Amino acid sequence: MIDSGFWAMGGHAAYVWPSYAIGVGLIVALAVASWRGYIAARDDVARLEAESPRRRRGQQGS
Amino acid sequence: MDGTPAPIPGRGNALHRFANPGRFMRFSGAVLPWLALAGLSLSVIGLGWGLVLAPRDWQQGDTVRIMFIHVPAAWMAMGGYVGLAIASFVGLVWRHPLADISARGIAPIGAVFTAICLITGSLWGKPMWGTWWVWDARLTSVLVLFFLYLGHIALSNAFDDIERAARPAAILALIGAVNVPIIKFSVDWWNTLHQPASVTRIGAPGIHVDILQPLLVTAMGFLFVFAALALLRTRAGILERRARALMAARAAEPAAAAATVTA
């Protein structure tokens, strides 16, 4: 499988590896940004609900 | 105004029952971990399979491995736009906030997959066609798709009141939907460097099963990743909306809020 020529990709390493690195990198970056946005929104709601206790109903967030 | 967008009073139709944000939060919260897990594992298996086990192409050598990321990304780019257009249509016609929120959530995901499609296509074009880019029908229409996504993101964030941005953004998304069939059929309608469809061809696929299998596994993985991200971003959008509603309620009753805080 992974012989000595694997990383060389038949001479096309300069095209194959950046494709995978950029593809995976962009998806991971989007996932991290989306997760951070979700956590920030969740914390905002939790804080605001804690500050106005009479509205602490409708437990739709987690 | 407690932030839980209730169904329009007196209109308890099916759409509003099933697309209730509270129900969506419960459902998506239960499904999301499994979607993310399936997406991650299938993507890793498919891409690893394509990189290591799949045979090299007799004409294209190892550059054919770029296909395992390029083609699934292209499918997500186009499928994602169809999803964006459907959400926009539902948001325009039935005025459902969940549709607007999910459209806002989908657009950046589609933009990222379109960018991956363009970049990997360029990296594939250089060794195979001898050029990073040509202004032919397929490549240009996918670039237009990318700008449509960017336009949707920009328009969605161009208003102080996020809810007001939904309508113009949805109209842009629907007008841009003409581009989807243009992308799909561009390789048939015009002469292009880009090869015609070989996987979705009517009849037998034009590629070998050893290459088709990892391609389809990666595509399934990307599909689940896309769905998981769409659910996550829609959940975030619902929570942001709830936070805005809570802020507005607090601003409207500063005295009451202060009283409850000090109590």
Side-chain angles (χ1 to χ4, degrees):
Chain A
M1 263 188 288
I2 301 183
D3 55 7
S4 57
F6 174 71
W7 297 103
M9 280 291 157
H12 292 304
Y15 305 105
V16 175
W17 293 114
S19 293
Y20 278 74
I22 292 167
V24 172
L26 283 177
I27 294 171
V28 168
L30 175 70
V32 169
S34 302
W35 179 253
R36 284 190 179 160
Y38 171 73
I39 294 296
R42 194 191 64 181
D43 292 351
D44 273 355
V45 169
R47 181 176 50 80
L48 287 163
E49 283 180 342
E51 287 170 7
S52 47
R54 74 196 166 75
R55 293 185 181 277
R56 203 184 290 157
R57 54 169 207 81
Q59 300 289 327
Q60 58 165 289
S62 60
Chain B
M1 270 299 281
D2 65 349
T4 312
I8 296 166
R11 263 219 288 166
N13 62 43
L15 178 78
H16 285 92
R17 269 206 309 281
F18 288 112
N20 169 283
R23 192 162 302 165
F24 175 84
M25 289 303 278
R26 283 191 297 279
F27 166 77
S28 62
V31 168
L32 190 54
W34 300 104
L35 268 181
L37 187 67
L40 186 65
S41 18
L42 286 174
S43 299
V44 168
I45 292 169
L47 290 176
W49 188 349
L51 265 177
V52 181
L53 297 175
R56 47 174 71 99
D57 187 73
W58 68 280
Q59 282 178 315
Q60 306 198 21
D62 281 303
T63 61
V64 76
R65 301 190 196 283
I66 296 172
M67 180 186 65
F68 299 117
I69 201 155
H70 173 77
V71 170
W75 287 343
M76 294 310 119
M78 289 172 66
Y81 199 91
V82 173
L84 177 64
I86 291 171
S88 300
F89 182 78
V90 171
L92 272 181
V93 174
W94 287 285
R95 299 287 176 94
H96 198 286
L98 192 55
D100 296 336
I101 293 169
S102 61
R104 274 177 67 84
I106 288 171
I109 313 171
V112 163
F113 278 104
T114 311
I116 293 170
C117 173
L118 287 166
I119 293 168
T120 57
S122 193
L123 284 162
W124 197 3
K126 183 61 181 169
M128 287 302 105
W129 298 342
T131 178
W132 299 105
W133 183 261
V134 281
W135 291 101
D136 80 351
R138 171 57 72 87
L139 280 69
T140 307
S141 56
V142 174
L143 188 65
V144 168
L145 181 74
F146 183 59
F147 288 140
L148 283 168
Y149 276 128
L150 292 189
H152 188 276
I153 295 167
L155 203 48
S156 298
N157 294 303
F159 291 76
D160 287 336
D161 179 0
I162 285 181
E163 270 86 28
R164 275 187 58 213
R167 199 175 164 78
I171 291 169
L172 171 74
L174 283 177
I175 293 170
V178 251
N179 190 41
V180 173
I182 292 178
I183 295 173
K184 170 71 184 143
F185 296 110
S186 58
V187 285
D188 303 324
W189 291 344
W190 292 284
N191 284 320
T192 164
L193 270 183
H194 197 284
Q195 65 168 48
S198 48
V199 177
T200 56
R201 199 156 68 189
I202 305 296
I207 61 178
H208 193 272
V209 66
D210 287 348
I211 282 179
L212 186 62
Q213 282 169 342
L215 181 65
L216 294 181
V217 170
T218 310
M220 284 299 287
F222 277 21
L223 181 63
F224 288 138
V225 167
F226 195 114
L229 287 172
L231 286 187
L232 178 64
R233 298 185 68 91
T234 305
R235 286 171 67 82
I238 290 171
L239 290 172
E240 282 162 11
R241 183 184 149 94
R242 178 157 175 76
R244 283 195 302 274
L246 286 167
M247 292 283 281
R250 195 166 66 169
E253 310 162 39
T260 53
V261 167
T262 50

